[in-house]
Amino acid sequence: MSTAPSKPAKPTRAAKTPKTPAKPKTAAAKPKPTAAKSTGSVLDGSAPAPLKQQAEPRVVDAPQPVIIGPMMRKKELIEAVVQRSGMKKKDVKPVVETMLAVLGEAIGDNRELNLPPLGRVKIRREKQLSNGRVVVAKIRQNTPVETDTLGSGNGISDASDI
């Protein structure tokens, strides 16, 4: 294509503005595939043209995967409470079962829970199924701050420790 014939054609196109606006748009779209072929396309079999600037690799902070540990069952929870509290199993079991029932009812009522050692629990979504419902919750736990400077071992310091 020579540039000389395109210059006289522009004034004639300007005179025919109602009929030719669609033609320049399709003509503008056609050079894009030809430009892609000139850079080297897989379709024409030629090697791709070298890139002008190579992108520098950057480290992106991605969410870290959560490693799921073994499931804790009610029996194991009761045994852990017995060990930590030093109380008898027959005294701990009804309290733990009642506490789990109360928590289950609160989640069933879509209540938000704020239980400091456990964290803050918010119900995000729920889905009704034929055999029950699926509740998607978000739990936010604060990172523990070590305030135990005297070495008492329980993280609580008061005037009696001094």
Side-chain angles (χ1 to χ4, degrees):
M1 290 183 188
S2 65
T3 58
S6 64
K7 288 182 182 179
K10 287 183 182 178
T12 58
R13 286 183 188 168
K16 298 179 183 179
T17 54
K19 294 182 181 178
T20 57
K23 289 181 182 178
K25 289 180 182 177
T26 56
K30 288 181 181 178
K32 290 179 182 176
T34 57
K37 288 181 182 178
S38 65
T39 58
S41 174
V42 177
L43 298 176
D44 66 2
S46 63
L51 296 174
K52 292 179 182 178
Q53 294 178 351
Q54 292 287 339
E56 294 182 25
R58 285 189 258 167
V59 177
V60 178
D61 293 333
Q64 298 296 324
V66 177
I67 299 171
I68 298 174
M71 182 183 296
M72 178 180 265
R73 305 225 180 248
K74 184 169 69 170
K75 183 178 179 181
E76 186 180 352
L77 176 64
I78 292 171
E79 289 174 6
V81 172
V82 167
Q83 287 178 354
R84 286 195 186 184
S85 67
M87 297 174 67
K88 294 181 181 178
K89 186 175 181 178
K90 69 177 186 173
D91 297 331
V92 169
K93 187 175 179 179
V95 173
V96 170
E97 289 177 344
T98 305
M99 182 196 64
L100 291 174
V102 170
L103 290 175
E105 290 171 6
I107 291 172
D109 294 338
N110 290 331
R111 292 185 61 186
E112 186 175 311
L113 305 173
N114 191 4
L115 308 171
L118 176 67
R120 188 172 187 171
V121 180
K122 288 185 179 182
I123 306 297
R124 289 295 181 195
R125 294 185 309 249
E126 73 174 43
K127 181 179 180 180
Q128 295 292 336
L129 299 176
S130 60
N131 60 349
R133 70 183 191 140
V134 176
V135 177
V136 178
K138 176 181 162 183
I139 301 174
R140 181 174 189 258
Q141 292 183 323
N142 291 332
T143 55
V145 179
E146 292 188 27
T147 58
D148 186 19
T149 58
L150 300 175
S152 62
N154 60 4
I156 301 172
S157 60
D158 56 3
S160 64
D161 289 338
I162 297 176

